[in-house]
Amino acid sequence: MVRMTGLMTAAIALTLALGAPIAADAKDYLLGSQLPLSGNLARVGQGMSEGIAVAVDLANRQYAGKHSFKVTTIDDETSPAKGVAAVEKLIAQGAVALTGGYGSNIIGPASEAAQKAGVVYITSGGVTPDLTGRSYKTFFRINNTEGYAKAMIGLLGDMQVKKVSVVYLNKEATSNLAKQVQADLSAKGVTVGMHEFDGATSDFKPLLNKVKLQDRPDAIAMVGYENDYVGVLRAAKVLKPDVKAVVGVWSLATAQMAKEFPDLMENVFGTSMLPYPVEFTQPEAIEFSKSYSRLFNKEPDYLGQFGYVQTKLLIEAVLRADEAGTLDKGGLADELRKTDAQTLIGRVTFDEKGDNPNFSHRMGQHQQGKVVLVWPRDAANGAMNFPARPW
Amino acid sequence: MLSLTLQALFSGVLAGGYYAMVAVGLALVFGTMRIINLAHGELVLLAAYVAYAAESQYGLNPVMAIPFALVIVGASAALVYALLSRIDQDREINSLILTFGLGIILTNAVLMIWAADIHSTTAPWFQESVVVADTLFAMRSEVVFFVGGLVLMAGVHGWLNHSWQGRAVRALSSNRNAAKLMGVNPRRTEILSFLVAALLATFAGIAIYTGKTIFPSLGHVMTVKAFIITVLAGMGSIPGVLIGAVMIGCIESLTVTYVSASLQELAGMILFLVVLFVMPSGLFGGRKAIAR
């Protein structure tokens, strides 16, 4: 018994002796994440949360023994009111900063709650200009409408189309992007027909029939979400308008769509940072891909990539602010504003409004079950099929 | 102009067929029990997901999944009925709360089992074009399930009017106490109406899976649409449901064609409110409207 007590005392003493210096420097950081994990935006919310988890996992490996990071996620159920409640709860739980948010109408009030509490909120889930137009000190965003519009306009410019029909969802972010595309195309002398639809629309044939019989465009540009794209493409497949290309934006040129709707996707263009199958060459990207596959047993997609980048930048800024002793004094926003990093989505810096002026997306095309990057030319890993319809 | 109008009407009629298949089940249960089953859309969704699981995991054609979906949806409907039948007080309001809660549970169960990704059949046969007179366009699934839905609804209508059990459903709807005195077993009749509603929900779910996209929050959307159509038709009127559904489908489709696709839901609601303003009991309404 005495021997046992002695051994235990020695073990405790040894542990304290070895652990003391580490414990003195090591810090645990709690990050908060408010995301739609149920409701209409559940899929995209889940995608972003996976990217956030990868960033935290890699940070914990990188700083093992020195710092540890934990993320607490609250489901906002795709509801603005619950988004605000989630942010307030996360801040009350001691989150040093918030990463997440999907849907401009949810991010708006949620980030306002964070601003009132003086807590940094970083996102890639809301691209409307109104979010950064508020010039909140604590709000940051790594992507924006301009970057998506640049990619779509660039591709349509390369195609030299003269008439485009823009079919867009009447949500804030999609409307803003569609109107920016319209303005940019019109400025280049392209005739643009605008067709707004509601989220409840499931039969697009009457709308596509107008496009076919009245607009007679060279290309159809879709701005919406996955179920909208499927509806539009199915209607187009039935009506067969005489177009040269069908172009979309987010959630379209993805592995998920290639696997789920192979008969609809062939030759369709959409924004995509990554080709499919994913080809990573940079060490950081390979590490990201490995961690993602290990955690989720699948290949990463663009949602995970954006979630990863925003959280990685946030973690780096948290460490810098803590090192400077300003983390508890509102210094995190200043540190984040100093960011100038090459990331998986390109260069990221933040302007005075918290927006990333460098953001420009890439365009991919579904080709025989793969997604080939076709724009810009310096990022392309294949040639575009043009003219080419999905049917 | 004529081509646009004809296509709009054609699409509207086919959309109305989808709406009617979902709404008839809701109307049947309401007619029998005076209960609005707010989990009905989720039962439709469940059928659609069973078809998805059968196709993605076992390579079954969605139509071949109907028996499996029917068993699962029928069992779920029976469970909903078992819980509803335990309500003793304030049946109408408590049943609304209960079925609304069950709808949320079903939606989240679907979300947990199948995740939030959108799905639809991968069988290209259902998406092939059907072209009538080089002017009217539809997907094969829309036409097949519209015709199938009509046959099924006619069958339900015939069953209600010409079979003993159907007459028992109508008798219960008309006067519960008198029906009991005439030897109608209310519990057996009520569960029968739930099972027939489950059959309709199964067929509607398979139709939606083959012609549209499915995702977990779709069930609630379908319940709301079915409820609007049921009230528009006149609570409990099954032929009225078909006509009301086609009216809603056509007004939405014409709004998309001539005004804006953004306003299609609003146009449907305006039609709904105008009809209720002029005919407060709905198009074919009345307290005892079932199967008229």
Side-chain angles (χ1 to χ4, degrees), chain A residues 37-38 40 42-43 170 196-197 201 203 205-207 209-210 214 226-227 230 234 238-240 256 260, chain B residues 4 7 11 111 116-120 122 127 129 137 139 142 212-213 215 217 253 256-257 261-262 264:
Chain A
L37 301 178
S38 58
N40 289 340
R43 203 195 91 67
N170 61 357
E196 192 181 60
F197 63 86
T201 307
D203 182 5
K205 287 193 294 300
L207 196 155
N209 207 29
K210 267 167 66 176
Q214 293 182 339
E226 289 154 320
N227 51 327
V230 172
R234 279 190 172 159
V238 168
L239 291 160
K240 297 185 173 50
Q256 176 73 16
E260 199 74 36
Chain B
L4 282 174
Q7 178 61 46
S11 291
L111 184 64
D117 297 329
I118 64 161
H119 299 291
S120 188
T122 51
Q127 274 89 54
S129 305
F137 297 84
M139 279 192 300
E142 290 176 306
K212 316 278 181 192
T213 51
F215 44 93
S217 57
S253 199
V256 171
T257 303
S262 276
Q264 62 165 333

Side-chain angles (χ1 to χ4, degrees), chain A residues 42 47 67-68 86 93 132 167 188 195 211 216 222 237 257-258 262 269 274 284 294 308 311 320 327 358 361 390:
Chain A
H67 307 295
S68 77
Q93 287 175 353
T132 44
V167 179
K188 293 180 180 222
H195 301 277
V211 168
R216 299 171 188 274
M222 308 181 287
K237 194 175 174 184
M257 293 297 260
F269 297 89
L274 302 169
E284 185 196 350
R294 181 171 46 77
Y308 165 78
T311 309
R320 289 200 306 270
L327 185 60
N358 311 289
H361 224 303

